[in-house]
Amino acid sequence: MYQLLAVCPMGLESIVSKELKDLGYETRVENGRIYFEGDEKAIVETNLWLRTADRVKLVVGEFNAYSFDELFEKVKALPWELFIPENGAFPVQGRSLKSKLHSVPDVQSITKKAIVEKLKQAHHVKGWLDESGATYPIEVNILKDKVLLTIDTSGSGLNKRGYRLAQGEAPIKETLAASLVKLANWTGDTPLIDPFCGSGTIAIEACLIAQNIAPGFNRSFVSEEWDFIPDGLFAQLRAEADSKADYDKEITIYAYDIDPDMIDIAKRNADEVGVGDIIQFDVKDVNTLTIDYDGPIGLIGNPPYGERIGDRDEVEEMYRYLGTLLKQNPQLSLYIMTSHKAFEYLVNQKATKRRKLFNGYIETTFYQYWAKKK
């Protein structure tokens, strides 16, 4: 059994923790970190299935260090040989915050040197380690003198689903888009609208959720090349994931954008992942949007925030229109992420629930307006 760690932006810990619990793992939550235990299958399974986490890391060790000598000795004492073979490549990335060992280049080089010494000793190597084999990306993270050493099992971030052929100026990450859909508790049983679809990410992630398609199904992971991952395990779990997908589930999703070029990009991205025939794309201005549906319906969006002064009036008028849609459609549930502090005032209605989220480095609020129950 390994100590594993799913990392995510602040505010999404409970969503990632629930995903892990649904997969059968017990969790321990810290800021941006969700710890759990599992075997080699857990490494593969969580990489394939986690929609809202950024990465899955293998924890090699945790300890306090107050000097570089102490860092060297404690890193060297860890069982690196259990994970990294004689020819393994192990680049080291480092972070240090509010710690005595504040020089990140020194932290990285000392950590690398200590691992080299341990591997040479354990694998009985004289001279240099050639590092010509599979890659084991190592991160040394120091916060308030507490050192966390991990190996990244994902490689590229889990937001890299493999379907985004093109994108606009400020695309939402796939993992954050999936989080918005999860926070809205949308499962595909009611229609969904994204009137600010951009490159189509929210609509595509909603499709993957509704049809239970594993988000990592069409991509590769750095741990696929590792010696201690059993041969064929990734292929086996991909086949199992394929068998669990409900490709025939009927879903109604509308994805609109005012820019025809973005609609073309969104269509190409949706086609790439195989959901282009499900999402109904169209060029539409949200300010003229009408909802001709008699029943529960959801609207999830990441609209412009109005942070550029020239855009503010136009954006605020659009937010007022969203409030009008809410009044006109009692069975509409509205879910909007924005950094605009006056959103509720402009909509003229207090949100049922709010959650602070980070869209990249921008602090936003996810405003949730739940439809009135009949």
Side-chain angles (χ1 to χ4, degrees), residues 11-44:
L12 296 180
E13 294 90 347
S14 63
I15 305 298
V16 176
S17 180
K18 186 178 186 307
E19 281 199 276
L20 284 165
K21 288 174 181 175
D22 289 345
L23 290 171
Y25 302 101
E26 294 183 6
T27 64
R28 175 171 62 87
V29 178
E30 295 182 2
N31 286 341
R33 297 173 179 173
I34 302 88
Y35 289 88
F36 63 103
E37 288 187 352
D39 56 10
E40 292 86 356
K41 181 184 176 184
I43 293 173
V44 178

Side-chain angles (χ1 to χ4, degrees), residues 18 28 30 35 44 57 75 77 95 122 139 156 187 193 210 218 234 265 285-286 288 344:
K18 186 178 186 307
R28 175 171 62 87
E30 295 182 2
Y35 289 88
V44 178
K57 298 182 179 183
V75 171
R95 296 182 185 179
E139 182 175 86
S156 297
T187 58
I193 303 169
N218 285 317
F234 268 96
I265 287 171
D285 182 350
V286 67
T288 60
E344 287 173 303

Side-chain angles (χ1 to χ4, degrees), residues 283-333:
V283 178
K284 283 194 179 184
D285 182 350
V286 67
N287 294 296
T288 60
L289 179 67
T290 57
I291 297 175
D292 303 316
Y293 182 77
D294 184 20
I297 188 168
L299 188 156
I300 303 177
N302 175 41
Y305 300 162
E307 295 194 330
R308 290 183 296 195
I309 293 173
D311 299 337
R312 183 166 287 270
D313 290 346
E314 186 179 338
V315 165
E316 290 184 352
E317 190 60 35
M318 177 183 66
Y319 289 170
R320 289 188 185 96
Y321 186 71
L322 291 175
T324 301
L325 284 176
L326 266 180
K327 289 190 182 78
Q328 292 174 345
N329 301 274
Q331 295 197 69
L332 172 66
S333 293

Side-chain angles (χ1 to χ4, degrees), residues 40-41 43-44 223-224 226-234:
E40 292 86 356
K41 181 184 176 184
I43 293 173
V44 178
S223 49
E224 291 190 58
W226 292 0
D227 286 3
F228 68 90
I229 302 292
D231 290 344
L233 185 57
F234 268 96

Side-chain angles (χ1 to χ4, degrees), residues 90-158:
F90 49 102
V92 177
Q93 292 293 318
R95 296 182 185 179
S96 183
L97 185 65
K98 299 178 182 177
S99 302
K100 291 181 176 62
L101 309 182
H102 52 80
S103 170
V104 172
D106 288 337
V107 166
Q108 290 177 171
S109 63
I110 287 167
T111 298
K112 177 80 175 186
K113 184 178 178 182
I115 298 171
V116 167
E117 290 300 312
K118 181 58 177 283
L119 291 178
K120 286 172 66 175
Q121 183 183 81
H123 295 311
H124 308 290
V125 174
K126 294 181 179 179
W128 295 98
L129 296 170
D130 67 16
E131 296 195 45
S132 61
T135 301
Y136 299 76
I138 292 167
E139 182 175 86
V140 50
N141 194 315
I142 308 180
L143 176 62
K144 296 179 181 178
D145 302 317
K146 185 174 182 179
V147 182
L148 172 67
L149 283 145
T150 59
I151 305 177
D152 178 16
T153 73
S154 303
S156 297
L158 293 181

